[in-house]
Amino acid sequence: MERKAVIMDKNAMNRALTRITYEIIERNKGAENICLVGIISRGIALAERIAAKINELENISVPCGALDITPFRDDMKPLESCDRTVIDFEIKDKKVVIVDDVIYTGRSTRAAIDALIERGRPEAIQLAVLIDRGHREIPIRPDYVGKNLPTSREEEVNVFVKEIDGTDSVAIFTDIREVK
């Protein structure tokens, strides 16, 4: 894979997450009944950043958890029955915002919804993504989007977060073998 372009740097990512945070607060008329659940792995870092911004703006500590969708995926079966989900708060009757780095086909989001419903019945489920690259296979649309990024199916969008990768950026990669 060869890097084609850097789409967002750390400042652009921060602005997008700040905008998403304001939109979550506005749509829900505050943050009193909200909880955030980040999809493992980079969704967790993004969810924690949004939770910190909500706390900064509203002075409310929003619960934030980690959701392992692997057992609920329809394209692969996990090698072991290990669920790494960490949600140490009640989601019943809460507005749960699922946070993910990139939405593509919608299958990860469907798996996330299945994983959440197994843990309780939220009042509502909303979806926040940093990047929406299109190409849905399932009719799912995010409620909050940092950036719409039309791509070809041959391209790959990678989100890098400092908590995992040591840097914040979003880049498009192409398979150089496909181009030739």
Side-chain angles (χ1 to χ4, degrees):
M1 296 298 268
E2 182 177 295
R3 186 169 74 187
K4 179 178 176 180
V6 174
I7 303 306
M8 298 176 96
D9 62 11
K10 70 177 182 177
N11 293 329
M13 283 178 64
N14 188 44
R15 285 190 300 273
L17 290 172
T18 298
R19 187 175 63 258
I20 288 170
T21 303
Y22 275 107
E23 290 174 1
I24 290 169
I25 293 168
E26 287 174 17
R27 178 174 179 173
N28 293 288
K29 298 175 178 61
E32 287 76 22
N33 199 34
I34 294 174
C35 57
L36 301 171
V37 177
I39 296 178
I40 293 174
S41 62
R42 285 161 183 81
I44 299 167
L46 300 176
E48 289 171 347
R49 292 184 196 185
I50 293 169
K53 287 183 187 298
I54 289 173
N55 190 13
E56 179 184 315
L57 296 168
E58 297 287 304
N59 202 26
I60 294 174
S61 182
V62 174
C64 192
L67 187 62
D68 183 3
I69 63 168
T70 308
F72 297 89
R73 292 184 59 119
D74 62 3
D75 58 347
M76 67 175 84
K77 291 295 176 198
L79 298 174
E80 55 193 56
S81 60
C82 175
D83 185 357
R84 301 173 294 160
T85 296
V86 178
I87 300 177
D88 56 3
F89 50 87
E90 185 63 49
I91 65 166
K92 184 178 184 288
D93 299 325
K94 295 279 189 186
K95 294 176 185 173
V96 179
V97 181
I98 298 170
V99 181
D100 203 2
D101 56 351
V102 178
I103 186 167
Y104 180 37
T105 62
R107 292 185 181 279
S108 293
T109 302
R110 188 223 30 98
I113 292 168
D114 288 349
L116 275 178
I117 297 296
E118 186 173 274
R119 289 169 169 76
R121 188 177 192 281
E123 176 184 321
I125 298 174
Q126 300 169 8
L127 176 61
V129 298
L130 183 61
I131 302 293
D132 182 348
R133 63 173 290 196
H135 302 288
R136 288 307 177 276
E137 295 173 3
I138 296 177
I140 291 177
R141 186 180 73 200
D143 299 281
Y144 315 102
V145 177
K147 184 171 186 67
N148 286 295
L149 184 63
T151 61
S152 75
R153 290 191 179 270
E154 289 74 38
E155 294 172 319
E156 187 175 303
V157 176
N158 289 338
V159 173
F160 301 97
V161 293
K162 65 182 174 201
E163 295 88 339
I164 297 170
D165 308 299
T167 187
D168 283 339
S169 67
V170 178
I172 295 181
F173 291 81
T174 58
D175 189 342
I176 57 175
R177 294 170 295 183
E178 299 285 329
V179 175
K180 294 180 181 177

